[in-house]
Amino acid sequence: MKNILKKTFVALATLGTLSAHAQVAPFKKGDRVVFVGNSITDGGHYHSYIWLYYMTRFPNQRIDVLNAGIGGDVAANILGRFDGDVVTKKPTVIALTFGMNDTRYFEYLKPDAEEMAAKAVQTSFENYQQIEKKLKALPAVRKILMSSSPYDETTKGKGNYYPGKSKAMLRVAEFQEAAAKKNNWEFLDFNRPMTAINETFQKKDTAFTICGGDRVHPGQDGHMVMAYIFLKNQGFANKEVADVVVDAQLKKLQRAGNSTVTKLVVNDTAIQFDYLAKALPYPLDTVPRGWGATTRQSDVVNLVPFTKEFNREMFTVKGLKEDRQYLLLIDKDTVGTFTGAQWAAGVNLAEISRTPQYQQATAVMLLNEERWELERRFRQHAWVEFNILKEHGRLYKDDVASMELLQELGKENGWIRGNLDSYSRSRVPAIREAWQRQLDVLTGTIYQINQPKNRHCVIRQIN
């Protein structure tokens, strides 16, 4: 496993992004970042995981991240709902992705697949040009163009195999990058770095993929890889949660990176101090979440060096007896036992879920999941509005006639039938308003409980 990880990290470092232009500035306090895309955005977690990083790493710099994805969308659909579903969210930043559905599916099994793919890419480009005009009409809004996560054409033993689709998706990525460069906008590539991971791990396991069972929709691990790529492009790699270094022999604090250490007391058997970090560790969810989920957010540590680059809350104590055992207590809670040699090398508290600060961050993560679940109701409503009702002249009407229309269409359309329960409620303005109030409460609560607390730490010799 270590050799595979090493090769993957080298591949990622070599690939980087499509060009040196592909650097994304960090979000600023007060930003409203709207992620626009298809089902990978709509039902996906990558944007939520990105926001979780900001929630825990920059607790006093609130931003808002909003989901504007709709399952099945191509560039033409995004164009059709841009004013009513994107601009209305009052973004300061728009992050736009498309390409998976634009490049089609079953058509690759037909004799004219190559000609079809060329036309599909051209159609996507032409619709994007119309979106570009709308983006240009928003000069105060930052624009980030993002390639789609890849279609995994190389994994073995799975269905939905459409030979040639991945090449068409790269052509979409190429015109997205060119458009970003032309307009001096930011560009980020998910496709090639994720493909590099797939290809590297598939050398040992041909059935491996981070693109889900259908080759299209990344699992939770894949979405966390997407968050990793995004945050890396924002320049956050190797930014510590905190870094505390104490010299036990000199009885002196040597470093307190991104933190404050006070009341340091060192004697022959114990070291104690108060520790206030400026950030929380990043909590990685160990529960598969979402319908049909088989992977976990925490599985990302087997794919990319997330912990090493993004999640280091280091305690280092020099001068302890290497072969002796030392107990770490934080706020009187037992965290673990480490040798003097381990303390000298540094203990990464972000890898220990039992610390009070990690548990605090876990509460933030779980609240963020609640927020994500609730926001999904709005995306289901948007799908009905823009992909069904709009073409029947009933956009925003949300009346009895609209419900009757959907019930009739649902007799032949399973997707509509599956959304009837949700829409029967979301069509009521008072319910949507109540949901929005809940969203506001959840986000407000996150930015209350994410404030780091002063922790009393004791490192005590036990043998």
Side-chain angles (χ1 to χ4, degrees), residues 4 15 31 61 91 96 127 238 266 283 306 324 423 448 450:
I4 292 177
L15 261 173
D31 268 340
Q61 298 179 33
L96 170 65
N127 283 303
N238 302 315
V266 181
F306 179 79
R324 295 295 176 88
Y423 178 75
Q448 291 173 357
N450 71 339

Side-chain angles (χ1 to χ4, degrees), residues 78-80 82-83 87 129-138 143:
I78 294 172
L79 173 65
F82 190 86
D83 294 333
V87 177
Q129 287 182 308
Q130 298 305 309
I131 297 173
E132 185 177 86
K133 291 179 182 178
K134 291 183 176 292
L135 290 170
K136 287 181 175 179
L138 301 170
K143 293 90 175 175

Side-chain angles (χ1 to χ4, degrees), residues 310-364:
F310 289 93
N311 211 19
R312 289 174 62 81
E313 184 186 13
M314 301 302 299
F315 272 20
T316 303
V317 182
K318 301 176 181 179
L320 298 177
K321 297 176 182 178
E322 290 192 357
D323 59 344
R324 295 295 176 88
Q325 297 283 331
Y326 296 84
L327 176 69
L328 172 62
L329 298 153
I330 300 181
D331 293 346
K332 298 183 180 181
D333 292 336
T334 298
V335 172
T337 301
F338 310 92
T339 66
Q342 288 175 307
W343 282 115
V347 175
N348 185 4
L349 299 184
E351 294 185 284
I352 306 172
S353 62
R354 64 172 56 246
T355 69
Q357 57 269 34
Y358 195 101
Q359 287 301 304
Q360 182 185 355
T362 297
V364 173

Side-chain angles (χ1 to χ4, degrees), residues 419-435:
N419 276 278
L420 283 176
D421 175 43
S422 177
Y423 178 75
S424 69
R425 290 171 286 154
S426 66
R427 72 183 184 90
V428 179
I431 290 180
R432 296 199 302 276
E433 290 167 5
W435 287 348

Side-chain angles (χ1 to χ4, degrees), residues 364-415:
V364 173
M365 179 267 289
L366 292 171
L367 276 168
N368 191 35
E369 284 296 318
E370 287 292 308
R371 180 204 58 77
W372 180 90
E373 289 280 359
L374 185 55
E375 186 180 39
R376 286 281 294 117
R377 299 181 193 175
F378 285 95
R379 300 321 304 156
Q380 290 172 302
H381 183 79
W383 179 80
V384 173
E385 290 283 9
F386 292 101
N387 285 13
I388 308 299
L389 294 179
K390 183 179 180 181
E391 65 180 87
H392 289 87
R394 306 210 64 80
L395 183 64
Y396 302 137
K397 293 188 183 298
D398 296 330
D399 52 14
V400 173
S402 298
M403 189 66 192
E404 290 174 344
L405 171 65
L406 291 171
Q407 288 174 321
E408 185 63 30
L409 294 172
K411 294 177 181 178
E412 303 294 332
N413 188 317
W415 292 105

